[in-house]
Amino acid sequence: MDSVISIKGLRKTYDAGTEALKGVDLDIRRGEIFGLLGENGAGKTTLIGIVCGLIRATAGTVTVDGHDNVTAYRAARARIGLVPQELAVDMFGHVRHTVEFSRGLFGKGRDPARIEEVLRSLSLWDKRDAKIGDLSGGMKRRVLIAKALAHDPDILFLDEPTAGVDVSLRRDMWALIGKLRDEGKTIILTTHYIEEAEEMADRIGVITRGELILVDEKRAMMEKLGQTRLSVGLK
Ligand code: ATP
């Protein structure tokens, strides 16, 4: 199996004593969409935060293409794009500048052609000079994705990309995520919605109370979920 991310024995205990992750092992395969399914507080954001280098693990290892030391991991980090759950973006910023700035944060030089390509692929080019705060909710989410893609990562994490969005926007987001996978990106998306994991993912993992209790191909998982969904708080 060609795994791009390998997570072993990952634990996180926050200062308040909450055990958010209790020893998670997981391999992400190159080019797949992996759906991480779990209820509120299950540990999804913590897991993503650690893999993306934003949260320090209490124990365990994360390797990206086999590299786990700090220097190599920094290089690996530049290969990862993160679309956060919250609309964490400067509402007074303008679309194109914001996306260009995000590329710069990864030490990549200016590349107007790349920025244009990203904005066009997300149907944001016509809005390039707009103030982000003036855009619709769906367009704001697209800006978050553009920011995550600006430095051309080949691994993309999407933390609950469709939480609180309406059905038509959810379908647009699914189409967009499918397109990114078709371009060869490895995608990890977290969700509360079984329907979303079923629609999008190649494999699904179910996390509950800090433990990854099931990981399987989608079809096998849908059968198992029929029996366990209620016990892990999924609808
Ligand atoms: P949601 O779907 O609600 O976003 P989640 O699956 O992403 O939930 P996490 O945000 O990873 O879950 O939270 C896992 C547990 O860790 C929860 O009990 C949460 O309250 C706790 N937690 C998260 N961040 C912190 C923090 N900074 N300090 C203390 N506890 C935290």
Side-chain angles (χ1 to χ4, degrees):
M1 181 185 68
D2 185 15
S3 89
V4 60
I5 295 176
S6 183
I7 297 168
K8 294 208 189 321
L10 203 60
R11 293 182 172 275
K12 176 65 186 179
T13 306
Y14 284 105
D15 290 344
T18 308
E19 281 186 277
L21 296 176
K22 298 176 185 165
V24 170
D25 297 310
L26 176 64
D27 282 295
I28 302 294
R29 299 174 185 166
R30 197 179 308 279
E32 75 173 341
I33 297 185
F34 186 88
L36 186 61
L37 192 55
E39 82 283 8
N40 282 121
K44 305 181 295 295
T45 301
T46 302
L47 183 67
I48 285 191
I50 293 173
V51 178
C52 292
L54 302 174
I55 298 173
R56 191 186 293 267
T58 307
T61 59
V62 177
T63 60
V64 178
D65 274 336
H67 299 298
D68 67 344
N69 69 56
V70 173
T71 323
Y73 188 71
R74 273 183 196 283
R77 175 67 187 89
R79 293 181 40 206
I80 296 176
L82 169 64
V83 182
Q85 190 176 342
E86 309 295 336
L87 285 175
V89 64
D90 175 9
M91 294 297 165
F92 294 101
H94 293 82
V95 172
R96 181 163 47 178
H97 286 155
T98 300
V99 174
E100 275 171 347
F101 183 73
S102 196
R103 178 179 169 86
L105 292 179
F106 289 89
K108 300 256 176 125
R110 274 175 54 80
D111 186 346
R114 168 71 190 159
I115 301 300
E116 180 173 344
E117 179 191 330
V118 168
L119 293 178
R120 284 193 187 281
S121 75
L122 292 162
S123 305
L124 280 170
W125 183 244
D126 291 347
K127 304 278 183 194
R128 60 191 179 278
D129 296 320
K131 201 161 68 175
I132 294 171
D134 292 341
L135 299 177
S136 69
M139 284 294 177
K140 288 188 183 107
R141 283 190 186 268
R142 283 170 188 265
V143 172
L144 290 186
I145 297 178
K147 280 182 67 188
L149 292 174
H151 63 289
D152 204 13
D154 57 354
I155 305 166
L156 190 63
F157 283 85
L158 295 132
D159 197 2
E160 300 191 29
T162 65
V165 309
D166 68 25
V167 176
S168 94
L169 180 55
R170 182 170 301 161
R171 297 227 158 256
D172 285 354
M173 296 294 288
W174 288 351
L176 203 56
I177 294 165
K179 195 170 117 195
L180 293 168
R181 193 262 309 273
D182 293 345
E183 287 170 10
K185 299 204 186 296
T186 302
I187 295 174
I188 300 95
L189 75 94
T190 74
T191 181
H192 287 194
Y193 305 117
I194 290 182
E195 183 203 7
E196 180 158 277
E198 184 176 13
E199 175 81 20
M200 294 304 308
D202 301 304
R203 286 192 308 144
I204 296 174
V206 177
I207 185 167
T208 182
R209 298 186 201 95
E211 291 181 79
L212 196 59
I213 57 165
L214 296 168
V215 178
D216 213 331
E217 304 293 334
K218 175 167 58 187
R219 186 184 304 237
M221 182 58 83
M222 295 323 291
E223 286 166 17
K224 290 179 190 166
L225 277 177
Q227 296 143 23
T228 56
R229 63 205 295 171
L230 293 177
S231 66
V232 296
L234 294 167
K235 294 183 203 82

